[in-house]
Amino acid sequence: MEQKKNIKDFTLEELESYIVQNKLPKFRAGQIFEWIYKDVESFDQMTNLPKDLVNKLKQELYIGRAAIEVKLVSKEDKTRKYLLKLEDGNAVECVLMEYSYGKTICISTQVGCRMNCAFCASAIGGLTRHMTSGEMLEEVMAVSRDIGERISNIVLMGTGEPFDNYKEVIKFLRTVNNQKGMNVGQRHITISTSGLVPKILEFAEEELQCTLAISLHAADNPTRNTLMPINKKYRIEELMDACRQYIKKTNRRITFEYALIKDINDSEESAYKLSNLLRGMLCHVNLIPINKVEEKVFEKANKTAIDKFKSILEGNGIEATVRRELGSDINAACGQLRQQYGV
Ligand code: SAH
């Protein structure tokens, strides 16, 4: 017998063609889709479907779920960190943060990562496998189930490089946005990349209103080469060129992420270099005091350096914010939980 498929891996359109192929009326697909994202556990709960359709679904499909393996709740700021166990036993992390505008979940897009950034805990152990769109949807659903509330904002900034798993990530974005499903607004979704140039250009053509974030972390090639190996493939000039094309095509503002690391990229000279790179661009800079990862040598820039860096950018007409640090008492950042639990 053919292996059962996870129904959460179907877009609404894919579900429609499945239904039509089975010579059933197309509207059944919409009904099934709605039930899935109301988070039913079994096909038997889909009470408006004919019995033989329910039986067919049961035979051919299953409703994929992830189990909460570990949950940590910050005493400082209510940030929650989850380690979710996928069906094949692999585990991924996601984080729920509370902001004034609502709850934001940071999800993983791959089990592990192959970008190998020097400061990032997710790089340790390399890439195990890509995640499916259904597994990404289930990250949002599992956490929403746990808190008993809808999640309004999503950032793809957990473990993995979203553009290294492009097809599934795009499928996830479209499905999570579907009004019949979770209906998370595209403008409430941010996708972050280490700079896969061809995919940035492809993403510009998707007609999605999501925010694109670029992990820049350095404004010159030698420094970026030491921090992010991807820079050896797509250098800063090429990356900035792709960003300009993206802005031209979409008219959307890009967020540049810049993790400030003591004595590596936090000097005034670095701030001027970054200003020169971004001047006149439709963008915003997110300055992130780097999170110390045990296995790595990098230190956080000090407060004076961070403030100075920010004021230089602003002096050059570049909007910048310093990202608030959340959940530091629960190791909330960047792949740290998987390491700790050895999965
Ligand atoms: N692969 C994607 C998305 C996941 S990483 C990307 O590179 O953008 C999400 C963000 O966290 C990236 O900006 C990444 O550079 C940053 N990051 C990774 N490790 C970090 C650390 N130790 N401290 C601060 N930011 C970190």
Side-chain angles (χ1 to χ4, degrees), residues 183 244 261 330:
N183 196 17
R244 274 186 284 270
I261 315 170
I330 55 164

Side-chain angles (χ1 to χ4, degrees), residues 25-286:
K26 194 169 152 187
F27 76 93
R28 293 290 180 205
Q31 290 180 316
I32 298 167
F33 192 83
E34 280 176 6
W35 282 116
I36 290 299
Y37 297 102
K38 276 188 195 134
D39 203 18
V40 294
E41 241 175 303
S42 79
F43 293 111
D44 289 318
Q45 287 167 274
M46 302 186 174
T47 47
N48 54 0
L49 302 184
K51 197 85 202 109
D52 48 349
L53 175 55
V54 170
N55 286 336
K56 184 171 178 53
L57 294 175
K58 274 191 195 168
Q59 269 167 21
E60 293 176 4
L61 306 169
Y62 71 94
I63 305 172
R65 283 211 169 192
I68 295 174
E69 180 110 318
V70 181
K71 173 167 82 177
L72 302 173
V73 183
S74 164
K75 291 192 182 67
E76 292 167 8
D77 52 38
K78 293 201 227 145
T79 297
R80 288 160 170 253
K81 175 127 197 178
Y82 294 86
L83 190 66
L84 297 180
K85 195 164 176 182
L86 307 175
E87 272 137 22
D88 66 352
N90 277 305
V92 292
E93 293 180 27
C94 46
V95 181
L96 186 80
M97 295 158 288
E98 290 198 16
Y99 291 106
S100 52
Y101 51 80
K103 295 201 159 51
T104 299
I105 188 172
C106 172
I107 65 160
S108 293
T109 54
Q110 295 177 313
V111 181
C113 184
R114 56 178 155 198
M115 293 300 117
N116 208 14
C117 298
F119 46 82
C120 180
S122 299
I124 303 163
L127 176 71
T128 303
R129 69 167 174 86
H130 296 302
M131 288 176 74
T132 68
S133 66
E135 288 175 323
M136 294 176 230
L137 288 159
E138 174 58 13
E139 287 184 81
V140 185
M141 294 178 82
V143 172
S144 185
R145 197 178 299 138
D146 184 58
I147 60 168
E149 255 181 78
R150 180 176 182 268
I151 295 169
S152 54
N153 297 43
I154 302 174
V155 298
L156 282 71
M157 290 191 187
T159 300
E161 166 51 52
F163 282 172
D164 187 35
N165 186 16
Y166 190 82
K167 226 178 102 230
E168 291 298 312
V169 164
I170 297 295
K171 199 164 146 179
F172 163 77
L173 296 176
R174 296 203 192 281
T175 310
V176 83
N177 173 242
N178 195 302
Q179 287 182 359
K180 284 192 154 96
M182 279 190 268
N183 196 17
V184 178
Q186 290 179 14
R187 288 186 168 80
H188 294 180
I189 302 176
T190 297
I191 178 165
S192 177
T193 180
S194 55
L196 273 64
V197 163
K199 298 296 171 198
I200 295 171
L201 298 174
E202 205 174 328
F203 190 65
E205 307 292 329
E206 299 283 354
E207 311 223 330
L208 285 163
Q209 310 289 314
C210 306
T211 300
L212 179 64
I214 305 283
S215 299
L216 192 58
H217 304 319
D220 64 83
N221 285 311
T223 311
R224 198 163 188 270
N225 282 342
T226 64
L227 295 175
M228 305 179 71
I230 188 72
N231 197 67
K232 293 179 186 150
K233 194 159 181 196
Y234 306 112
R235 296 166 69 77
I236 291 179
E237 297 73 25
E238 217 183 322
L239 175 60
M240 297 313 292
D241 204 47
C243 289
R244 274 186 284 270
Q245 287 189 53
Y246 170 88
I247 294 169
K248 194 164 169 221
K249 172 81 198 173
T250 64
N251 212 15
R252 301 195 59 77
R253 186 177 81 158
I254 290 184
T255 299
F256 287 100
E257 290 160 282
Y258 194 103
L260 285 157
I261 315 170
K262 190 167 193 278
D263 299 333
I264 305 272
N265 64 2
D266 65 339
S267 66
E268 293 185 22
E269 191 197 341
S270 299
Y272 284 112
K273 271 190 202 160
L274 184 60
S275 305
N276 287 337
L277 201 62
L278 303 182
R279 191 173 291 118
M281 242 174 131
L282 184 61
C283 72
H284 181 93
V285 176
N286 229 330

